[in-house]
Amino acid sequence: RQSGVPPVSQDAERERYSAQPDDRPATERGKNSLSQIKWNRERIRLYGNRTDAYFFIVGDKTMFATMREDIRCILDRDPAARNALEVFFCYPGYHAVRAYRRAHWLYTHGMKTLARLVSEWCRFRTGVDIHPAAQIGRRLFIDHACGVVIGETTVIGDDVTLYQGVTLGGTGKDAGKRHPTIEDNVVIAAGAKVLGPFTVGKGSKIGAGSVVTKDVPAGVVAAGNPCKVLRALTEEDLAQCPRQLAGQPE
């Protein structure tokens, strides 16, 4: 260390570590990924052995940040949401996302039965069935929340909106990766079904009641049974929800 430069205290390092948002894609947050291993090493360096029960009960550096993000995204996208307190207490979609994040933590730390119990409680409490092994990014908004199903190998990016009755499931014909990948800024309307290991491209919108059984390219509006691309996104579409569809940061 150069002379004249004061050392950085551990408290200051912790504060800086906690203030940084977790910008990693959902695919890099798996238990065995190199990114997650480096992440855990830095956390152990700053917080010692408090890496299991402590971080489950108190939360890791992203807990309160993601809580704020999850509330903020609902206020941004739902005109019926009047304030953060109302979202915190009265929005089942918010409760489902928070329960999933705890269940996912348990699942990736080897407590799979307990994780399934948390997800079952969430299904009973909110009507949303999210498998704890699913990989979900930041700022997921599940509007109305009733009847939403998200399968085990589903991958969901950031700033995705799902409406009631959406199923992200499988067909029963695939092994391994059986469920869809939903990229950033996608909107899936009420009652739509995305079935199989297909990808819905970034920024696309899936119409209500659609059945998706093949890949959907990025930046399009698609609908129907079977789902077909209707047109590319327009400026009018982007104006409806610019932060979400254009992928602008919070």
Side-chain angles (χ1 to χ4, degrees):
R1 190 181 298 274
Q2 296 180 354
S3 60
V5 178
V8 179
S9 68
Q10 190 175 61
D11 288 341
E13 283 192 282
R14 287 178 179 177
E15 183 177 356
R16 182 175 58 190
Y17 177 81
S18 300
Q20 295 174 350
D22 186 355
D23 292 324
R24 295 172 299 160
T27 53
E28 293 185 11
R29 298 174 191 164
K31 181 179 179 182
N32 297 321
S33 70
L34 181 61
S35 174
Q36 188 65 38
I37 291 171
K38 291 180 179 179
W39 193 271
N40 290 339
R41 285 178 179 172
E42 179 69 2
R43 187 172 66 178
I44 292 170
R45 184 180 71 83
L46 293 175
Y47 293 95
N49 293 325
R50 296 181 296 179
T51 57
D52 290 323
Y54 173 84
F55 284 101
F56 175 67
I57 296 170
V58 179
D60 63 14
K61 74 171 201 171
T62 64
M63 185 183 90
F64 294 108
T66 56
M67 285 179 66
R68 289 192 297 269
E69 283 188 340
D70 290 338
I71 292 174
R72 183 74 257 171
C73 79
I74 294 173
L75 293 172
D76 287 343
R77 299 181 211 168
D78 186 1
R82 295 178 295 180
N83 54 65
L85 195 63
E86 182 178 78
V87 171
F88 184 83
F89 285 109
C90 303
Y91 270 65
Y94 170 77
H95 297 155
V97 171
R98 298 311 306 174
Y100 154 77
R101 299 200 191 284
R102 288 304 187 197
H104 184 70
W105 188 98
L106 291 167
Y107 196 90
T108 56
H109 285 76
M111 294 172 275
K112 296 184 178 181
T113 301
L114 185 56
R116 293 304 301 268
L117 288 172
V118 172
S119 67
E120 282 300 302
W121 172 86
C122 172
R123 185 176 66 86
F124 175 78
R125 171 71 174 77
T126 67
V128 177
D129 186 359
I130 307 177
H131 195 286
Q135 298 180 49
I136 298 178
R138 300 164 65 187
R139 297 180 294 274
L140 171 65
F141 175 33
I142 306 176
D143 199 5
H144 299 290
C146 187
V148 172
V149 177
I150 299 175
E152 179 184 10
T153 59
T154 301
V155 177
I156 299 177
D158 298 334
D159 299 299
V160 170
T161 298
L162 307 178
Y163 287 87
Q164 67 273 17
V166 167
T167 297
L168 306 179
T171 62
K173 300 177 181 179
D174 302 292
K177 180 74 164 76
R178 309 181 303 280
H179 304 99
T181 296
I182 311 299
E183 295 187 346
D184 298 346
N185 309 307
V186 168
V187 177
I188 303 181
K193 317 298 179 187
V194 186
L195 305 176
F198 304 108
T199 298
V200 178
K202 183 176 181 180
S204 291
K205 299 177 72 174
I206 305 299
S210 300
V211 178
V212 181
T213 56
K214 61 181 181 180
D215 291 335
V216 175
V220 300
V221 176
N225 181 9
C227 189
K228 298 179 180 179
V229 175
L230 302 181
R231 57 180 173 82
L233 287 175
T234 64
E235 293 295 330
E236 183 179 354
D237 295 318
L238 297 176
Q240 291 176 1
C241 191
R243 176 173 295 168
Q244 181 184 7
L245 295 179
Q248 295 178 8
E250 293 288 331

